[in-house]
Amino acid sequence: EVRLVESGGGLVQAGGSLRLSCAASGISFDDYAIAWFRQAPGKEREGVSCISTSNTLYADSVKGRFTISSDNAKNTVYLQMNSLKPEDTAVYYCAADPPPVCTLIDGGVDFGSWGQGTQVTVSS
């Protein structure tokens, strides 16, 4: 059974930083793409970043500010978010799916496993 647990969300002022964690069980990072998606109130879910053995992707809106990384020994993927903006406010979800090729299209409809989400709120 695949299980994904996010943590690290919270309230931060604009310009601040947060690091989200996605602890995964039941999968091998060699065989899966792990991605972060987010959904703000009244908006569709959108891809933020993805990491796999084949490629790494970032949404244009977060390039240069967010960094995705993985610790295979801990089976954990991190999303370091710097220079946060109020428009980054959303519930952030971790998702996983084989094969290990990243995609951020269509709000993650191709991803079969999801975490419960963690709230990120950026105040102006």
Side-chain angles (χ1 to χ4, degrees):
E1 179 188 2
V2 179
R3 186 164 183 249
L4 304 171
V5 179
E6 303 98 332
S7 61
L11 172 64
V12 64
Q13 288 187 332
S17 298
L18 284 173
R19 189 178 78 157
L20 305 184
S21 299
C22 173
S25 59
I27 64 172
S28 167
F29 285 4
D30 289 339
D31 301 322
Y32 279 70
I34 313 296
W36 289 96
F37 292 84
R38 66 186 182 186
Q39 189 164 23
K43 294 188 176 181
E44 294 186 351
R45 190 170 61 199
E46 63 174 354
V48 176
S49 185
C50 180
I51 188 167
S52 73
T53 56
S54 301
N55 59 338
T56 301
L57 297 177
Y58 293 94
D60 288 343
S61 59
V62 306
K63 281 181 181 176
R65 300 188 297 123
F66 291 10
T67 303
I68 193 169
S69 62
S70 66
D71 184 335
N72 287 12
K74 295 182 178 180
N75 246 36
T76 299
V77 170
Y78 303 99
L79 185 68
Q80 178 67 44
M81 306 186 296
N82 298 329
S83 302
L84 283 162
K85 305 175 181 179
E87 50 264 44
D88 294 318
T89 295
V91 178
Y92 284 69
Y93 298 92
C94 177
D97 208 68
V101 179
C102 279
T103 175
L104 293 177
I105 63 173
D106 297 331
V109 293
D110 293 331
F111 281 79
S113 299
W114 292 82
Q116 82 287 353
T118 185
Q119 176 71 46
V120 171
T121 303
V122 184
S123 63
S124 57

